[in-house]
């Protein structure tokens, strides 16, 4: 069985979840089938977002699984163009999912957008304004925990200096090519768990072919992907790999225990030439990430 981590509010989160971002296609019935298979194969944690366009399908898989609701951990996220209407957006997500409550609600990006216009960090609603509205959601009982996503050090420090409720998690891209050592330290000092998205590097998986990764994998008779997953959990991060393939989704929750030496090796992989890469960096061109500038994201 997949281990659990404790959140700073005492609740528990399965250390591995199914990431439900299916690219621009959104997913439709395919995401429903993926989630149903995941739940049949031992997953108890599904991570979606309003922005993924598939909350309906994830929710349907949860409702039709026959597994008690309180045994499944469901995460969804507030989209950028809803920072000025958090309550409404939350209700919409709850409705889409068809559930009575959400386990975890995240601010998807530290950036608000009105229609297509991205607001600067000082324009209202700021991330602090938005967070205050998210804090209010806790009082409704319809969300158990709140957190953030894609927060670099700067926005996270800013939020921490002004929040009443400390986020339970900061969900960021993280894998052996991107261990985020400094951000992880900051999070740990403040009782915030890192949730690693794209823990297998998504389309940018150079580390899976690294000779050291392969050697470690062979010595444990597992795949390099399983080494990456084991490393992620053993270093204390939640990981949410996406796989629609039965064999691979089973692999991703079958962990091994790595030695200290092996852990160190994987943690320093990003120092090898050409290895330090992120998906965002991969997509970014002259400082533009998906059309947003790093300045707008206030990152790091
Ligand atoms: P598939 O769905 O066909 O298994 P990430 O979660 O890091 O974004 O990576 C997702 C990508 O990695 C998907 O393309 C997924 O494809 C693939 N993937 C998932 N699990 C594994 C695995 N164990 N080994 C190799 N590739 C995997």
């Amino acid at each position: 069985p997949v281990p659990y981590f404790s959140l700073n509010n005492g609740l528990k989160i399965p250390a591995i979840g199914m990431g439900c971002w299916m690219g621009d296609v959104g997913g439709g019935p395919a995401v429903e089938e993926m989630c149903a298979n995941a739940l049949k194969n031992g997953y108890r944690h599904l991570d979606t977002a309003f922005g993924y366009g598939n909350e309906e399908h994830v929710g349907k898989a949860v409702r039709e699984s026959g597994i008690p609701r309180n045994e499944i951990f469901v995460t969804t996220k507030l989209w950028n163009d809803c920072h000025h209407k958090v309550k409404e957006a939350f209700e919409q997500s709850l409705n889409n999912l068809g559930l009575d409550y959400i386990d975890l609600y995240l601010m998807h990006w530290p950036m608000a957008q009105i229609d297509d216009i991205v607001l600067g960090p000082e324009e209202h609603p700021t991330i602090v304004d938005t967070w205050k509205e998210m804090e209010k959601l806790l009082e409704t009982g319809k969300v158990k925990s709140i957190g953030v996503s894609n927060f670099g050090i700067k926005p996270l420090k800013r939020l921490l200096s002004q929040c009443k409720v400390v986020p339970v998690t900061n969900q960021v891209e993280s894998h052996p090519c991107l261990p985020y050592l400094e951000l992880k330290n900051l999070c740990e000092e403040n009782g915030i768990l890192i949730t690693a998205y794209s823990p297998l590097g998504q389309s940018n998986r150079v580390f899976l072919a690294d000779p050291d990764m392969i050697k470690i994998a062979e010595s444990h008779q597992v795949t390099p992907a399983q080494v990456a997953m084991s490393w992620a959990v053993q270093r204390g991060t939640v990981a949410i790999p996406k796989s629609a393939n039965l064999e691979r989704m089973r692999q991703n929750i079958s962990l091994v225990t790595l030695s200290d030496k092996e852990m160190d090796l994987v943690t320093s992989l990003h120092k090898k030439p050409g290895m330090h890469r992120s998906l965002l960096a991969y997509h970014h061109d002259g400082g533009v990430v998906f059309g947003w500038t790093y300045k707008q994201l206030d990152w790091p």
Side-chain angles (χ1 to χ4, degrees):
V2 176
Y4 281 74
F5 287 130
S6 288
L7 301 171
N8 62 20
N9 59 10
L11 297 174
K12 295 207 177 328
I13 183 170
I16 295 181
M18 177 58 78
C20 297
W21 185 67
M22 306 287 273
D24 291 339
V25 293
V31 83
E32 189 184 323
E33 190 188 341
M34 178 178 80
C35 291
N37 281 331
L39 292 169
K40 269 186 217 139
N41 283 280
Y43 283 75
R44 289 295 180 268
H45 173 180
L46 304 174
D47 181 280
T48 184
F50 178 82
Y52 300 171
N54 58 29
E55 289 174 314
E56 288 91 338
H57 306 282
V58 174
K60 190 152 178 264
V62 171
R63 295 194 311 274
E64 295 182 356
S65 65
I67 299 167
R69 171 69 186 91
N70 64 3
E71 290 178 20
I72 305 175
F73 193 100
V74 180
T75 302
T76 194
K77 312 184 189 84
L78 172 77
W79 189 240
N80 305 341
D81 64 4
C82 294
H83 283 213
H84 62 292
K85 47 174 184 184
V86 171
K87 189 164 178 284
E88 211 180 307
F90 174 77
E91 292 290 342
Q92 174 75 61
S93 284
L94 201 58
N95 222 16
N96 291 347
L97 285 158
L99 300 174
D100 296 333
Y101 70 91
I102 291 167
D103 292 275
L104 175 61
Y105 196 48
L106 303 179
M107 192 188 316
H108 205 146
W109 290 89
M111 183 188 77
Q113 207 175 312
I114 305 276
D115 299 322
D116 281 341
I117 300 175
V118 175
L119 305 187
E122 301 310 325
E123 288 182 272
H124 293 280
T126 65
I127 54 172
V128 174
D129 297 334
T130 303
W131 186 252
K132 286 193 189 329
E133 290 302 308
M134 290 178 67
E135 289 179 337
K136 287 186 199 158
L137 294 177
L138 288 171
E139 293 158 19
T140 66
K142 291 181 185 167
V143 59
K144 306 276 182 200
S145 303
I146 53 174
V148 296
S149 182
N150 295 300
F151 271 52
I153 288 180
K154 221 165 112 187
L156 192 59
K157 280 190 170 160
R158 177 174 179 197
L159 192 70
L160 284 168
S161 71
Q162 294 185 63
C163 63
K164 265 200 315 229
V165 177
V166 175
V168 297
T169 190
N170 180 18
Q171 182 180 124
V172 294
E173 180 195 352
S174 183
H175 43 68
C177 288
L178 194 68
Y180 274 134
L181 304 176
E182 202 185 334
L183 182 66
K184 185 165 176 281
N185 279 341
L186 176 69
C187 286
E188 276 166 9
E189 281 162 19
N190 289 282
I192 301 168
L193 267 181
I194 292 238
T195 298
Y197 75 73
S198 295
L200 298 172
Q202 207 191 338
S203 52
N204 189 21
R205 305 183 266 163
V206 277
F207 59 88
L208 294 182
D210 176 80
D212 282 325
M213 285 293 277
I214 291 171
K215 219 158 73 195
I216 297 172
E218 280 171 354
S219 76
H220 288 273
Q221 294 178 306
V222 296
T223 65
Q226 285 169 292
V227 174
M229 296 307 305
S230 303
W231 169 81
V233 173
Q234 213 170 312
R235 75 198 284 254
T237 61
V238 175
I240 48 168
K242 174 259 169 190
S243 181
N245 172 282
L246 275 183
E247 164 63 25
R248 289 190 287 275
M249 72 167 76
R250 286 182 193 133
Q251 259 186 38
N252 296 344
I253 53 168
S254 306
L255 308 180
V256 293
T257 304
L258 303 175
S259 68
D260 291 348
K261 199 169 152 234
E262 290 167 333
M263 284 297 289
D264 290 346
L265 247 174
V266 181
T267 304
S268 37
L269 221 59
H270 70 285
K271 293 180 189 158
K272 287 190 187 177
M275 276 291 200
H276 186 85
R277 344 187 14 177
S278 74
L279 202 62
L280 286 185
Y282 186 71
H283 284 287
H284 103 98
D285 189 6
V288 179
V289 183
F290 308 130
W292 312 324
T293 67
Y294 273 113
K295 192 162 174 291
Q296 284 163 327
L297 276 172
D298 213 7
W299 184 283

